[in-house]
Amino acid sequence: MLHNKRILLIVAGGIAAVKVPDLIRRLRERGASVRCILTKGGAQFVTPLSLAALSGQHVYQDLFSLTDESEMGHIRLSREADIILVAPATADMIAKMSHGIADDLATTALLATDKPVMIAPSMNVMMWTHPAVQVNLETLKARGVSVFGPGAGDLACGEVGDGRMAEVMDLVSALGRHFQKQRGDGALARFRIVVTSGPTIEPIDPVRYIANRSSGKQGHAIAAALADMGAQVTLVSGPTQEADPDGITVVKVETAAQMLKAVRAALPCDIAVCAAAVADWHVADVSKIKLKKSTAPPRINLAPNPDILATLAQPGKQRPSLVIGFAAETSDVIEKAKIKRAEKNCDWIVANDVSPGSGTFGSENNTVHVITAEGVQNWPTMTKREVAEKLADLVATFAAKKL
Ligand code: PMT
């Protein structure tokens, strides 16, 4: 979606500007060209030289630079782009945009443009929730500016809450979705897809539960990658810290039973991807009151949970045409995954090693083996986002041939 797209990236003065070099790298990897305008504030956090080196283009900084204006006037700069992305968009930049102030190259280009504008706000949580900022944002939204993020989490100022600039890969996806919407022809545009992600948690009593180490990173990345290709995605997720991917219906659940119910409610669908780490058991006799610490630890009676993947993959009218499971193994990964694929009747199974040394749970990377009726594909170690994109490509190829 980003191939040959021209992005004018305006870097304002916030700590999140340190993420911009990675953003440029990721956009260029996907075939986009990136031209930067660096504000005075932005230059406090990132150097023009690093942006020039990474973008492979001159970095524009000064409205009244004779060289810059003669080489590329600010009007041309703002028009020779397919989109303008302001990242990070500070409270000051948002205020200037909202009021039409044009007192430097960045704000002048923003006023002079006839191209879509997307902003990725980044600021302290109190600034973000301040009515002045929110009113300015509403003004921008009403004028058609897309606002992406911010996310919640630890802020550079030491406080916690909303205000973190969206993660780099989420911004890349948002840009991809923008261009896809413009074209309206994503490779999976006709398809409804259900994705499960994250852990399930099974209560013991009102305060305790049994859980597992899944972070939801892999499942969420898959849902986002499929949506990037135009699919209508329902993501059924157990509790995670991951942000809801943009443009996706997200159903939040806790237990396996709730996950199954939510997945059933999302049917019929064309494709299902079960990346959730569903607990195999639940506590049969959940206590309504907090169990008291006694001399003897309580006996916990476990009962089996429904198998969501196997239920979905059962032959029948509502079976999705392509059912993809995951297999999390700690030994004989491929052999055990092959057995799981057969037992659960899924079409493909994505096997990964989750033994403690693998670092698969919760990390950014994964090494997977994709097992289909045709054989085993061993993929190199990649980021979970890259695994998701490669899997989405495979799904799109399958869908184009068989669905
Ligand atoms: O979330 P991350 O930290 O990013 O980690 C990613 C991951 C390791 C969780 C992911 O890549 C993964 O392997 N997910 C499947 C985890 C799992 O539960 O595997 P399993 O081998 O126990 O189950 C096999 C398949 O059956 C899975 O598709 C699972 O979703 C499904 N299942 C299992 C039990 C159950 N009761 N219902 C199910 O649907």
Side-chain angles (χ1 to χ4, degrees):
M1 285 301 153
L2 290 168
H3 195 68
N4 285 338
K5 296 295 181 231
R6 297 163 307 170
I7 296 162
L8 179 63
L9 177 58
I10 295 182
V11 185
I15 182 67
V18 299
K19 294 184 186 172
V20 164
D22 190 32
L23 177 61
I24 296 173
R25 200 176 295 123
R26 301 296 175 183
L27 290 170
R28 292 198 67 200
E29 272 170 13
R30 284 157 181 78
S33 73
V34 183
R35 184 176 273 159
C36 296
I37 296 181
L38 182 61
T39 66
K40 256 196 195 128
Q44 300 292 324
F45 296 93
V46 63
T47 68
L49 196 59
S50 57
L51 299 190
L54 287 163
S55 65
Q57 302 207 39
H58 179 72
V59 171
Y60 297 85
Q61 290 183 273
D62 192 357
L63 180 59
F64 300 111
S65 155
L66 186 58
T67 9
D68 285 3
E69 271 298 303
S70 55
E71 179 200 312
M72 163 80 70
H74 61 275
I75 307 284
R76 235 180 91 198
L77 196 55
S78 73
R79 306 275 169 86
E80 278 189 7
D82 297 305
I83 191 167
I84 301 185
L85 170 65
V86 186
T90 57
D92 175 66
M93 175 60 81
I94 290 169
K96 282 181 176 161
M97 287 173 74
S98 142
H99 291 277
I101 293 170
D103 63 353
D104 64 2
L105 180 60
T107 47
T108 308
L110 281 161
L111 211 54
T113 193
D114 57 355
K115 294 296 175 337
V117 177
M118 181 184 284
I119 64 170
S122 165
M123 66 197 74
N124 164 272
V125 59
M126 295 305 284
M127 291 170 76
W128 172 249
T129 50
H130 196 288
V133 172
Q134 290 302 317
V135 167
N136 287 336
L137 276 166
E138 286 316 311
T139 306
L140 293 184
K141 283 185 194 166
R143 286 188 202 136
V145 171
S146 322
V147 180
F148 191 72
D154 292 334
L155 303 174
C157 55
E159 293 183 15
V160 178
D162 284 338
R164 273 173 75 87
M165 188 173 89
E167 294 307 322
V168 164
M169 287 314 296
D170 294 333
L171 271 173
V172 171
S173 301
L175 286 169
R177 274 195 293 280
H178 164 84
F179 290 116
Q180 180 198 295
K181 241 186 238 160
Q182 250 182 7
R183 258 179 41 180
D185 64 347
L188 291 170
R190 286 187 299 115
F191 299 102
R192 279 169 62 97
I193 306 185
V194 174
V195 179
T196 69
S197 178
T200 64
I201 60 172
E202 307 295 336
I204 297 170
D205 68 11
V207 295
R208 304 177 181 95
Y209 57 79
I210 299 171
N212 64 64
R213 296 180 190 278
S214 169
S215 62
K217 284 182 195 290
Q218 186 64 82
H220 277 54
I222 290 169
L226 293 166
D228 284 353
M229 296 188 119
Q232 200 183 317
V233 178
T234 300
L235 172 64
V236 182
S237 174
T240 82
Q241 297 294 316
E242 291 298 291
D244 293 350
D246 199 36
I248 287 175
T249 305
V250 182
V251 185
K252 295 185 183 174
V253 299
E254 292 199 336
T255 65
Q258 290 166 1
M259 188 171 270
L260 177 61
K261 194 170 168 211
V263 165
R264 279 200 166 123
L267 297 179
C269 69
D270 305 290
I271 297 159
V273 185
C274 292
V278 185
D280 288 313
W281 308 281
H282 66 275
V283 177
D285 42 2
V286 178
S287 173
K288 286 201 169 59
I289 54 165
K290 183 182 172 191
L291 295 173
K292 285 288 157 221
K293 189 173 161 194
S294 57
T295 41
R299 283 190 80 84
I300 294 175
N301 294 317
L302 296 176
N305 267 335
D307 194 301
I308 298 162
L309 173 62
T311 309
L312 271 171
Q314 262 171 27
K317 239 181 35 215
Q318 286 221 308
R319 188 191 193 280
S321 307
L322 177 64
V323 179
I324 306 172
F326 267 71
E329 307 294 348
T330 53
S331 63
D332 305 320
V333 175
I334 294 174
E335 285 323 304
K336 286 183 179 166
K338 281 182 177 168
I339 295 169
K340 242 174 218 175
R341 174 174 169 267
E343 279 175 357
K344 301 200 184 207
N345 195 38
C346 53
D347 302 298
W348 304 352
I349 202 154
V350 182
N352 46 198
D353 185 344
V354 291
S355 50
S358 71
T360 302
F361 278 125
S363 77
E364 296 304 323
N365 297 327
N366 203 357
T367 314
V368 306
H369 314 272
V370 180
I371 300 164
T372 68
E374 281 75 47
V376 182
Q377 297 184 21
N378 298 306
W379 292 359
T381 301
M382 289 184 268
T383 63
K384 285 181 178 168
R385 179 74 213 187
E386 286 162 347
V387 169
E389 284 174 358
K390 205 164 152 66
L391 189 64
D393 278 343
L394 210 60
V395 169
T397 309
F398 175 90
K401 281 193 204 147
K402 307 252 168 96
L403 301 183

